[in-house]
C-alpha cells in the first residue's frame, strides 16, 4: 500500500505537467498489467486508475480510445481486478473527449461481463456513478440503445440493499423516466425492482457518518413511484394492499404516495381502483385513532377529487367524478342524520375534503349537504348539537371562501341564502356562549363571500327575494322609494371599480344586481316614477362607454322590459312609462344614428353601441311592452308623434331634439326601422296610423333593396305586421298587389333574392294568420321555391317561421289578427302539395321538401298529427335519412311524442325506427345525438313483445354514446340504455 501511494505520488505530477503521457505510463506498467498473478495485475490497474482519476481532464481522444478498449477487455479478468477496472472506467466516463459510441460500448460491457450485486458496496457505487456520468453527458447515445439500456440497468440494480447506493439508483430511475428513455416492455420490471423497497424500513445506525435518514429514502423512492402514470396499474394495488396492513408507517407512506400520484394521474389510471381506494380511505377515517392517518386520508381524498375534476375538463372518456362523489355522499350523508351523531364529524371531514378539491366538487357536495345541515339544525334543539351542525356548516362556508368566485347560477349559497342567514342569526341569539362564538365566525365568513356581501342591500340573483320585494313594494311604496331606490341608485351610478379583471367582474356583477333589484321593486306607480329615471340615466351613461357598452345597455333594456311588463295592468303607470321611456329611447337612437359621429369600423365607438343589432333587439321588447296595453286614445296620441318622426323626420317631440342634422329613417339612419316596427306593430287594431299607405310603400322598398339583413328583415316584419291588421278592402288589395309584383321581380333575378324571400315569408305569415285569400297564392310561390337550388333551403326553413309563434310581431299579444286553428288549415291545404312536390322533385332538392314538411308537422297539434300519422310516417322515416341536420332534428322532435301517444301505429315500423335512431346516435351534431337517444328511450313505450328481438342490439349500440365527450349526450344514453335493460323485466 505504501509502495502504491509512493508510486502515485511520483507518477501523477509527471502526467500532469506533460513529462509523461498516459500511454507511456501504461507501457511502464506493462510488467504489472500483464503479470500472471491477479493480485499484481490488480495493483497495476489500480495505480493506473488512480492516476486517471487525477488526470482524466488532460487526456487526448486517441488516448481515451485505447484506454477504453483496454479497460473493457479487463472486465473479463479475475474478480480481484474488477474493482480497479471500474475505477478506471469511472475516470474515463468523466472525459469530455470521449469518442461517440464509447459510452454505449462501456455500458454494454459492464451489463454483459459484471455481476454488479456480487461486488462490494463501493464498487457497486462506482457502477452507478459511471451510469450517472454517461446519462448526463451522452444522453442521445444511450437513448439509441432503446429498451436494452433500461433492461441493463434493471439487472444492475436488482437486489441492491445499501442505502447509499439506493439513493443514486433511485435518481437514475427518475432520470430514465423524466428524460423519456425508452422503457419498452420493461415497465413492470422497472417498477418491481424499485417498489420492492416500499414501504421503506430503514433505521440509520448510531453515529452514521453518511447521514442518510429514513425520510431521505422515503422521499427518493416516492419520487420514483409517482414519476409516471405507466406505473399506476402496478402501484395502486400495492398502495391498497399496504393501506389494509396493520403497520402505521406503511399506511402513512401509502397515503402520502397516493396523494403525490394524483398530481400526474388522470381518471383513466384511477378508474379501476376508485371503489377500493374510497373503501380504504373511508374505513381509516371512520376507525382510526391516529390523527396523522386521518389527516393523510383526507389529503388523499382531496387529491383524488382534484385529479378527477381536472381530468373531466380535457378527457373524452366517461366522467367519473359524478359517480365518485355519489359514492361519497351515499356513504356519508346518512351519518349526518343519526340521532347519536357518532360518525358526524368523520363524515363531515370526508365530505369537506372532497368538496374542497374544486369548484365543481364543492357545488356537487354542497348541493346535497347544505340543505340537510340546515334541516338538522332546525330538527335538533340542544345547543351542543346545534353547535356541531353549525361548525360543519362553517367548514363548508370556509371552503367557498378559499375556492374564491363561484358562478352565481351555480352557487348553492345563493339559493339557500335566507335559511343560512336565519340559522346564523339564531345562533347569535342563543343563550349558549359556545354556539354564539361559532355563529360570529360564520357571520364573519358570510360577510367576506362575494355572493353574500350584498345581502344588506338586496339579496343577489335570488328570485324568491326579488318576488318578495315586488310583493312588498306596493304595500310600503314610501319605504322602497325613500330608502332602497336611493341606495340602489348610489351603487349603480357610482362607477366605482378597482383595477384588475376580478375587481371589474365584481363591480359589473354588483351593477347587474342593482338593475335587477330596481326592476323587481317597480311594482307601484310611485316607485316606477323613481326607478325609471334612474334606469334611463344609467342607460345614457353606459351608452357613452367603451368595451362592454353594448352588453351593459342590453342589461338595462332587460330591466326596463321587466318594469314595462309590471306596469301593463296599471293604466297610469303604463302611460307614464310609455311617455317617459319611448321618447327617450328614440332620442338616444336618433342621436346615435346621426352622421356627425363617424361610423364604427372594427371597434364600436362611444355612442355607437346603441346601433348594434343586439342592443336594438333588446330595445324592441321594451317599446313593444310599453305600447301593447295603451288605451286607444293614448295610443292615437302617441302614434301621431312617432310615425311623423320616421316619415318626415319630425323630432320636436323628443326630449333632446337639437341634433346636428336632419333625421332620415329610410335613408342613412334606416337601421332604426326596428324601433318603428316595435311601436306600430304593437298598437291596437282600431288605432289609425297616419299616412299608412306611404309608410307601407317605404317599408316595402326598404325590405327589398337593403343590403343589411337585419334592416331588411325588420322592415319586412313591420310591413307584414301592418298588413295583418289592415282593414280589408281596395287599399289593402292594392298594396298587396304592389308587394307581389315587387317580390316576383326580385325573386326572378338580381342581388336581392334573399331579401325578397324574407319579405315573402313574413307577408305569407301575416295573411295565413288572418285567412286572407291571397295566402294560398303566396304559399304556392313558396312551394315553388323549394325546387330552387339557391333559395330552396332558406324557403324550406321558412316553413318553421310560418308555423311557429313570433315573439315580437304577428302574435296575439301585439293585437295581431290570428284566427283559430290556422295551423290545422295550413296543414290541410299544403301538406299534400309538399308530399306531391317531394315525389316529383330531383334528388338535389328533395331535402328541401322534407325539411318543410318536418317543420309543419313539428308545430302541428299532436292530436291532429296522430290522426294523419299513417299517411305521413313513411315520409318522416325517409326524412331521418336526409343528411340535413335541421331536417333530422325537426323530424326526431316530431317523432318523439308520437312514440308515446301512438305506440300501436309506430310499432308497425319498429325495425326501421330502431335502425335509424341508432344510426343517428353517432351524428356529428350533439343536438341530433341527444334527440336520437331520447327517441330510442321513447321506443320502450311500444309493446314489449315487439321490442324484445331488438333488445340486445340496442343495448350494444347504446354502449358507444356512454363514452361520448358531451355530458348531456352521456346522460341521455344512460337513461335510454337503462330502460332497454329493464325491458321485459317482471313488474315493468
Amino acid at each position: 500500500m505504501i509502495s502504491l501511494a509512493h508510486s502515485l505520488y511520483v507518477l501523477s505530477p509527471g502526467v500532469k505537467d506533460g513529462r509523461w503521457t498516459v500511454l507511456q505510463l501504461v507501457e511502464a506498467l506493462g510488467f504489472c498489467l500483464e503479470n500472471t498473478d491477479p493480485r499484481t495485475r490488480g495493483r497495476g490497474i489500480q495505480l493506473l486508475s488512480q492516476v486517471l482519476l487525477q488526470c482524466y481532464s488532460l487526456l487526448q481522444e486517441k488516448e481515451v480510445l485505447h484506454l477504453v478498449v483496454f479497460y473493457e477487455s479487463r472486465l473479463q479478468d479475475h474478480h480481484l481486478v474488477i474493482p480497479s477496472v471500474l475505477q478506471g472506467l469511472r475516470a474515463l466516463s468523466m472525459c469530455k473527449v470521449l469518442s461517440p459510441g464509447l459510452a454505449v460500448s462501456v455500458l454494454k460491457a459492464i451489463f454483459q461481463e459484471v455481476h454488479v450485486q456480487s461486488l462490494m458496496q463501493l464498487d457497486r457505487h462506482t457502477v452507478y456513478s459511471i451510469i450517472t456520468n454517461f446519462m448526463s453527458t451522452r444522453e442521445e447515445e444511450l437513448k439509441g440503445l432503446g429498451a436494452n439500456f433500461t433492461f441493463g440497468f434493471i439487472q444492475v440494480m436488482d437486489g441492491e440493499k445499501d442505502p447509499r447506493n439506493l439513493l443514486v439508483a433511485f435518481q437514475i430511475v427518475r432520470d430514465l423516466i423524466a428524460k423519456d428513455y425508452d422503457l419498452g416492455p420493461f415497465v413492470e420490471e422497472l417498477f418491481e425492482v424499485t417498489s420492492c423497497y416500499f414501504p421503506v424500513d430503514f433505521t440509520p445506525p448510531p453515529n452514521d457518518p453518511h447521514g442518510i435518514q429514513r425520510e431521505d429514502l422515503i422521499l427518493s423512492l416516492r419520487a420514483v413511484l409517482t414519476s409516471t402514470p405507466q406505473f399506476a396499474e402496478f402501484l395502486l394495488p400495492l398502495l391498497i394492499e399496504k393501506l389494509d396492513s396493520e403497520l402505521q408507517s406503511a399506511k402513512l407512506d401509502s397515503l402520502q404516495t397516493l396523494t403525490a400520484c394524483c398530481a400526474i394521474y388522470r381518471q383513466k389510471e384511477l378508474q379501476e381502483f376508485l371503489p377500493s381506494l374510497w373503501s380504504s380511505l373511508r374505513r381509516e377515517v371512520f376507525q382510526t385513532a391516529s390523527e396523522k392517518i386521518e389527516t393523510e386520508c383526507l389529503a388523499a381524498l382531496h387529491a383524488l377529487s382534484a385529479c378527477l375534476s381536472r381530468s373531466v375538463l380535457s378527457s373524452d372518456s366517461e366522467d367519473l367524478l359524478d359517480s365518485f362523489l355519489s359514492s361519497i355522499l351515499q356513504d356519508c350523508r346518512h351519518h349526518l342524520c343519526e340521532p347519536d351523531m357518532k360518525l358526524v364529524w368523520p363524515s363531515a371531514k370526508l365530505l369537506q375534503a372532497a368538496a374542497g378539491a374544486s369548484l365543481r366538487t364543492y357545488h356537487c357536495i354542497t348541493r346535497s349537504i347544505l340543505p340537510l345541515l340546515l334541516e338538522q339544525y332546525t330538527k335538533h334543539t340542544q345547543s351542543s348539537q346545534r353547535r356541531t351542525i353549525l361548525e360543519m356548516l362553517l367548514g363548508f362556508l370556509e371552503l367557498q371562501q378559499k375556492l374564491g368566485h363561484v358562478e352565481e347560477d351555480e352557487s348553492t349559497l345563493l339559493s339557500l341564502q335566507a335559511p343560512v342567514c336565519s340559522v346564523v342569526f339564531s345562533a347569535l341569539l342563543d343563550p349558549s356562549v359556545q354556539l354564539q362564538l361559532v355563529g360570529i365566525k360564520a357571520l364573519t365568513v358570510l360577510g367576506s363571500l362575494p355572493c353574500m356581501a350584498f345581502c344588506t342591500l338586496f339579496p343577489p340573483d335570488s328570485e324568491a327575494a326579488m318576488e318578495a320585494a315586488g310583493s312588498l313594494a306596493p304595500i310600503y311604496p314610501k319605504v322602497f322609494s325613500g330608502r332602497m331606490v336611493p341606495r340602489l341608485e348610489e351603487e349603480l351610478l357610482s362607477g366605482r371599480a378597482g383595477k384588475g379583471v376580478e375587481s371589474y367582474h365584481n363591480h359589473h356583477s354588483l351593477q347587474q344586481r342593482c338593475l335587477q333589484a330596481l326592476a323587481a321593486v317597480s311594482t307601484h306607480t310611485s316607485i316606477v316614477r323613481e326607478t325609471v329615471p334612474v334606469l334611463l340615466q344609467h342607460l345614457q351613461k353606459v351608452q357613452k362607454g367603451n368595451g362592454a357598452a353594448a352588453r351593459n345597455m342590453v342589461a338595462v333594456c332587460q330591466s326596463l322590459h321587466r318594469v314595462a311588463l309590471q306596469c301593463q295592468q296599471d293604466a297610469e303607470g303604463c302611460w307614464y312609462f310609455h311617455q317617459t321611456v319611448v321618447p327617450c329611447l328614440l332620442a338616444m337612437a336618433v342621436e346615435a344614428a346621426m352622421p356627425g359621429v363617424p361610423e364604427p369600423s372594427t371597434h364600436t365607438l362611444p355612442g355607437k353601441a346603441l346601433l348594434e343589432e343586439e342592443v336594438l333587439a333588446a330595445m324592441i321588447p321594451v317599446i313593444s311592452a310599453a305600447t301593447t296595453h295603451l288605451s286607444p286614445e293614448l295610443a292615437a296620441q302617441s302614434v301621431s308623434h312617432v310615425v311623423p318622426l320616421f316619415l318626415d323626420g319630425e323630432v320636436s317631440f323628443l326630449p333632446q331634439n337639437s341634433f346636428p342634422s336632419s333625421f332620415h329613417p329610410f335613408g342613412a339612419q334606416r337601421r332604426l326601422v326596428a324601433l318603428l316596427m316595435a311601436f306600430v306593430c304593437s298598437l291596437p287594431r282600431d288605432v289609425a296610423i297616419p299616412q299608412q299607405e306611404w309608410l307601407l310603400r317605404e317599408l316595402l322598398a326598404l325590405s327589398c333593396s337593403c343590403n343589411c339583413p337585419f334592416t331588411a328583415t325588420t322592415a319586412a316584419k313591420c310591413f307584414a305586421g301592418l298588413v295583418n291588421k289592415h282593414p280589408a278592402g281596395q287599399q289593402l288589395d292594392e298594396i298587396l298587389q304592389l308587394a307581389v309584383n315587387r317580390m316576383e321581380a326580385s325573386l326572378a333575378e338580381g342581388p336581392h333574392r334573399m331579401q325578397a324571400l324574407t319579405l315573402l315569408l313574413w307577408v305569407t305569415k301575416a295573411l295565413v294568420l288572418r285567412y286572407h285569400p291571397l295566402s294560398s297564392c303566396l304559399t304556392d310561390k313558396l312551394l315553388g321555391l323549394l325546387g330552387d337550388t339557391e333559395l330552396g333551403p332558406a324557403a324550406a326553413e321558412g316553413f318553421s317561421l310560418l308555423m311557429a309563434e313570433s315573439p315580437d310581431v304577428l302574435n296575439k299579444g301585439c293585437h295581431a289578427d290570428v284566427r283559430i286553428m290556422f295551423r290545422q288549415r295550413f296543414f290541410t291545404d299544403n301538406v299534400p302539395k309538399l308530399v306531391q312536390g317531394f315525389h316529383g322533385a330531383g334528388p338535389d332538392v328533395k331535402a328541401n321538401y322534407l325539411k318543410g314538411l318536418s317543420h309543419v308537422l313539428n308545430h302541428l297539434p299532436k292530436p291532429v298529427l296522430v290522426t294523419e300519422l299513417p299517411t305521413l310516417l313513411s315520409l318522416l322515416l325517409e326524412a331521418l335519412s336526409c343528411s340535413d341536420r335541421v331536417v333530422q332534428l325537426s323530424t326526431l322532435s316530431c317523432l318523439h311524442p308520437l312514440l308515446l301517444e301512438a305506440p300501436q301505429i309506430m310499432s308497425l315500423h319498429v325495425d326501421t325506427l330502431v335502425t335509424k335512431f341508432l344510426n343517428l346516435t353517432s351524428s356529428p351534431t350533439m343536438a341530433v345525438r341527444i334527440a336520437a337517444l331520447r327517441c330510442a328511450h321513447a321506443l320502450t313505450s311500444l309493446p314489449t313483445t315487439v321490442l324484445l328481438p331488438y333488445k340486445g342490439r340496442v343495448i350494444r349500440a347504446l354502449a358507444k354514446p356512454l363514452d361520448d365527450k358531451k355530458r348531456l349526450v352521456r346522460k341521455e344514453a344512460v337513461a335510454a340504455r337503462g330502460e332497454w335493460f329493464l325491458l321485459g323485466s317482471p313488474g315493468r
Side-chain angles (χ1 to χ4, degrees):
M1 183 65 70
I2 296 174
S3 175
L4 179 64
H6 178 71
S7 301
L8 185 65
Y9 175 77
V10 172
L11 294 175
S12 291
V15 175
K16 289 181 179 179
D17 60 20
R19 286 183 290 116
W20 294 75
T21 66
V22 173
L23 294 181
Q24 289 173 332
L25 176 62
V26 172
E27 291 176 359
L29 292 173
F31 172 77
C32 295
L33 299 178
E34 296 176 355
N35 198 287
T36 57
D37 181 19
R39 290 181 177 81
T40 304
R41 291 200 306 278
R43 283 195 292 272
I45 294 175
Q46 183 181 9
L47 176 60
L48 177 60
S49 297
Q50 292 298 323
V51 172
L52 291 178
L53 284 171
Q54 295 188 21
C55 308
Y56 65 86
S57 61
L58 304 175
L59 297 178
Q60 302 298 315
E61 183 176 352
K62 185 177 180 182
E63 293 174 328
V64 172
L65 175 62
H66 290 301
L67 288 169
V68 167
V69 173
F70 168 73
Y71 273 104
E72 283 182 2
S73 66
R74 292 300 90 197
L75 286 174
Q76 301 175 9
D77 207 334
H78 194 275
H79 67 87
L80 293 175
V81 178
I82 299 302
S84 300
V85 174
L86 293 174
Q87 288 293 338
L89 289 173
R90 181 167 73 90
L92 294 174
S93 71
M94 293 184 284
C95 291
K96 295 182 179 180
V97 295
L98 195 70
S99 300
L102 290 183
V104 171
S105 177
V106 169
L107 290 180
K108 281 185 175 180
I110 292 175
F111 293 159
Q112 293 173 4
E113 306 296 342
V114 181
H115 185 259
V116 176
Q117 290 306 314
S118 65
L119 302 176
M120 299 295 288
Q121 179 272 325
L122 181 60
D123 301 326
R124 299 198 304 276
H125 193 278
T126 301
V127 174
Y128 295 130
S129 298
I130 293 171
I131 295 174
T132 300
N133 291 338
F134 283 147
M135 287 181 72
S136 62
T137 60
R138 307 286 166 167
E139 180 179 334
E140 293 303 321
E141 292 183 35
L142 300 192
K143 286 183 177 179
L145 281 172
N148 291 329
F149 176 62
T150 303
F151 179 68
F153 173 74
I154 291 172
Q155 290 180 309
V156 168
M157 182 183 174
D158 191 14
E160 182 61 65
K161 295 180 180 179
D162 190 275
R164 293 165 289 181
N165 292 347
L166 284 175
L167 287 177
V168 182
F170 289 158
Q171 182 60 52
I172 292 174
V173 177
R174 291 205 300 275
D175 289 341
L176 278 174
I177 295 169
K179 295 180 180 180
D180 201 24
Y181 280 79
D182 184 11
L183 305 184
F186 305 114
V187 174
E188 185 173 3
E189 287 77 4
L190 186 61
F191 173 78
E192 293 294 340
V193 83
T194 52
S195 64
C196 61
Y197 303 101
F198 183 85
V200 172
D201 182 17
F202 170 70
T203 303
N207 303 319
D208 179 19
H210 304 291
I212 297 177
Q213 301 297 318
R214 177 172 177 270
E215 191 66 20
D216 299 329
L217 290 169
I218 289 175
L219 295 176
S220 185
L221 176 57
R222 184 178 300 154
V224 171
L225 297 179
T226 62
S227 59
T228 173
Q230 296 181 74
F231 285 167
E233 61 179 307
F234 316 114
L235 177 59
L236 292 175
L238 176 64
L239 296 181
I240 293 171
E241 176 189 340
K242 299 303 179 183
L243 278 174
D244 294 339
S245 70
E246 297 298 326
L247 193 62
Q248 298 290 313
S249 60
K251 290 184 178 183
L252 282 173
D253 203 354
S254 299
L255 290 167
Q256 291 167 351
T257 303
L258 175 60
T259 302
C261 288
C262 292
I264 64 165
Y265 284 3
R266 295 156 295 181
Q267 65 176 9
K268 71 175 184 179
E269 284 84 23
L270 296 171
Q271 182 172 7
E272 181 182 350
F273 307 101
L274 279 177
S276 299
L277 288 170
W278 163 240
S279 177
S280 298
L281 295 174
R282 180 191 63 212
R283 184 192 64 244
E284 291 301 323
V285 173
F286 280 172
Q287 298 179 3
T288 187
S290 168
E291 186 176 340
K292 285 185 178 180
I293 289 181
E294 181 187 86
T295 302
E296 295 300 335
C297 280
L298 297 176
L301 179 59
H302 178 95
L304 279 172
S305 303
C307 177
L308 295 176
S309 298
R310 290 193 306 271
S311 299
V312 169
L313 297 178
S314 57
S315 174
D316 290 336
S317 58
E318 181 186 357
D319 181 1
L320 296 177
L321 182 61
D322 281 341
S323 58
F324 184 61
L325 295 179
S326 296
S327 299
I328 297 174
L329 287 168
Q330 181 179 350
D331 292 341
C332 296
R333 194 176 188 275
H334 64 278
H335 291 304
L336 304 181
C337 306
E338 292 174 353
D340 57 1
M341 304 184 78
K342 181 179 179 181
L343 293 175
V344 160
W345 268 117
S347 299
K349 289 178 180 178
L350 287 169
L351 290 166
Q352 289 170 1
S358 68
L359 287 174
R360 187 176 171 210
T361 59
Y362 179 82
H363 176 58
C364 185
I365 295 290
T366 55
R367 183 175 53 195
S368 174
I369 296 303
L370 289 189
L372 180 64
L373 291 177
L374 296 172
E375 177 187 335
Q376 291 300 305
Y377 184 92
T378 306
K379 180 179 178 181
H380 290 285
T381 56
Q382 296 183 13
S383 296
S384 58
Q385 295 173 323
R386 286 191 161 192
R387 185 185 68 184
T388 300
I389 295 170
L390 188 57
E391 285 174 342
M392 289 188 287
L393 179 62
L394 174 60
F396 285 104
L397 295 177
E398 290 172 337
L399 284 178
Q400 179 158 337
Q401 190 180 34
K402 293 177 182 177
L403 290 170
H405 176 69
V406 178
E407 291 296 332
E408 294 178 352
D409 59 346
E410 293 187 358
S411 175
T412 307
L413 272 180
L414 286 178
S415 59
L416 297 174
Q417 179 175 280
V420 168
C421 292
S422 175
V423 163
V424 172
F425 284 119
S426 71
L428 295 174
L429 299 174
D430 195 272
S432 170
V433 177
Q434 289 80 6
L435 183 55
Q436 290 177 10
L437 292 174
V438 180
I440 291 172
K441 292 180 182 178
L443 186 61
T444 303
V445 175
L446 280 176
S448 67
L449 296 177
C451 64
M452 304 292 283
F454 197 50
C455 291
T456 55
L457 177 59
F458 201 90
D461 291 348
S462 171
E463 278 301 318
M466 296 281 185
E467 291 177 10
S471 301
L472 290 172
I475 304 173
Y476 306 104
K478 292 183 178 180
V479 176
F480 280 80
S481 298
R483 296 188 180 183
M484 177 168 282
V485 174
R487 180 74 175 92
L488 289 167
E489 179 183 5
E490 179 185 349
E491 289 290 339
L492 188 63
L493 302 178
S494 63
R496 296 191 301 267
K499 295 181 179 180
V501 176
E502 185 176 354
S503 295
Y504 171 79
H505 178 83
N506 292 337
H507 175 70
H508 176 73
S509 178
L510 176 62
Q511 290 206 331
Q512 295 300 305
R513 295 199 294 272
C514 287
L515 291 173
Q516 294 166 0
L518 284 168
V521 301
S522 299
T523 52
H524 190 273
T525 303
S526 63
I527 303 176
V528 171
R529 292 179 181 274
E530 300 292 333
T531 57
V532 165
V534 174
L535 291 171
L536 291 176
Q537 183 181 355
H538 186 63
L539 182 64
Q540 292 169 340
K541 173 187 172 184
V542 298
Q543 181 196 9
K544 300 173 184 177
N546 290 315
R551 183 180 65 178
N552 293 332
M553 294 184 74
V554 169
V556 180
C557 288
Q558 289 171 345
S559 293
L560 285 170
H561 181 230
R562 179 170 180 175
V563 176
L565 294 175
Q566 292 167 174
C567 291
Q568 287 180 341
Q569 304 308 318
D570 176 57
E572 180 186 354
C574 184
W575 177 238
Y576 168 79
F577 184 91
H578 180 90
Q579 66 176 355
T580 304
V581 174
V582 173
C584 181
L585 294 182
L586 291 174
M588 291 175 63
V590 170
E591 183 179 11
M594 284 297 166
V597 183
E599 287 293 325
S601 52
T602 55
H603 299 285
T604 303
L605 299 180
K608 286 298 205 178
L610 192 144
L611 299 180
E612 294 188 21
E613 289 182 15
E614 60 176 322
V615 180
L616 290 173
M619 294 171 69
I620 289 172
V622 178
I623 296 175
S624 179
T627 307
T628 54
H629 284 66
L630 289 180
S631 66
E633 296 76 20
L634 294 177
Q637 180 180 336
S638 184
V639 76
S640 65
H641 296 298
V642 175
V643 172
L645 168 69
F646 284 87
L647 287 179
D648 305 319
E650 177 56 57
V651 298
S652 59
F653 83 102
L654 297 179
Q656 301 163 356
N657 52 26
S658 56
F659 300 111
S661 60
S662 58
F663 178 53
H664 301 288
F666 289 99
Q669 294 92 19
R670 55 195 174 192
R671 288 176 71 86
L672 301 190
V673 74
L675 305 184
L676 171 66
M677 177 200 73
F679 176 78
V680 297
C681 291
S682 302
L683 292 169
R685 267 185 276 172
D686 53 356
V687 174
I689 298 177
Q691 308 178 78
Q692 185 171 7
E693 306 311 314
W694 180 17
L695 179 60
L696 284 169
R697 291 174 184 273
E698 292 284 1
L699 292 169
L700 178 61
L702 182 61
S703 64
C704 288
S705 60
C706 183
N707 292 321
C708 172
F710 174 78
T711 303
T713 301
T714 50
K717 291 163 71 174
C718 188
F719 180 86
L722 292 175
V723 164
N724 174 265
K725 298 178 186 178
H726 199 293
Q730 183 180 356
Q731 288 184 335
L732 177 61
D733 295 339
E734 289 176 357
I735 195 67
L736 286 176
Q737 188 58 48
L738 182 63
V740 170
N741 295 339
R742 186 68 180 264
M743 288 186 290
E744 287 180 344
S746 298
L747 286 170
E749 58 182 354
H752 299 114
R753 297 187 74 205
M754 187 59 70
Q755 288 90 328
L757 174 61
T758 301
L759 178 62
L760 174 61
L761 286 168
W762 282 103
V763 173
T764 303
K765 181 178 179 70
L767 300 183
V768 165
L769 292 177
R770 62 179 286 177
Y771 289 177
H772 192 278
L774 189 60
S775 63
S776 59
C777 175
L778 297 183
T779 306
D780 289 341
K781 292 184 184 296
L782 278 175
L783 291 170
L785 288 173
L786 292 176
D788 188 297
T789 54
E790 179 186 353
L791 296 181
E797 193 65 42
F799 279 84
S800 175
L801 185 151
L802 295 179
M803 301 295 286
E805 186 81 10
S806 176
D808 45 9
V809 294
L810 298 178
N811 60 67
K812 291 183 178 179
C814 295
H815 310 289
D817 187 357
V818 181
R819 306 294 176 87
I820 62 173
M821 301 179 68
F822 78 90
R823 292 185 178 89
Q824 290 87 321
R825 179 172 177 174
F826 187 88
F827 170 87
T828 304
D829 292 343
N830 296 290
V831 166
K833 298 177 184 178
L834 279 169
V835 174
Q836 181 182 359
F838 169 79
H839 290 302
D844 55 334
V845 295
K846 277 184 178 291
N848 298 336
Y849 290 88
L850 288 175
K851 183 187 290 188
L853 177 64
S854 65
H855 283 316
V856 173
L857 298 181
N858 203 27
H859 292 91
L860 197 66
K862 294 305 176 281
V864 178
L865 183 56
V866 169
T867 60
E868 300 292 336
L869 186 58
T871 59
L872 296 173
L873 188 55
S874 59
L875 271 181
L876 286 173
L877 295 177
E878 188 163 349
L880 291 177
S881 301
C882 180
S883 59
D884 192 300
R885 306 302 177 201
V886 176
V887 176
Q888 293 173 355
L889 186 59
S890 180
T891 307
L892 289 169
S893 301
C894 181
L895 287 173
H896 182 266
L898 296 177
L899 290 166
L900 303 175
E901 297 175 18
Q904 296 302 325
I905 299 175
M906 302 297 284
S907 62
L908 300 176
H909 302 269
V910 64
D911 186 73
T912 306
L913 290 169
V914 167
T915 301
K916 292 187 180 295
F917 290 161
L918 294 182
N919 288 340
L920 290 176
T921 58
S922 301
S923 168
T925 305
M926 183 184 75
V928 174
R929 297 200 301 275
I930 291 175
L933 287 167
R934 286 175 178 168
C935 287
H937 188 173
L939 275 175
T940 57
S941 63
L942 302 187
T944 303
T945 54
V946 175
L947 297 176
L948 282 177
Y950 304 92
K951 180 176 179 180
R953 173 187 170 191
V954 174
I955 289 173
R956 288 191 299 272
L958 292 181
K960 181 180 178 181
L962 292 177
D963 294 327
D964 197 279
K965 60 183 178 181
K966 296 296 184 180
R967 181 182 62 83
L968 294 177
V969 177
R970 297 195 300 271
K971 179 181 177 182
E972 295 295 339
V974 168
R977 198 163 185 255
E979 282 298 316
W980 276 91
F981 263 117
L982 295 174
L983 194 69
S985 301
R988 185 181 179 275

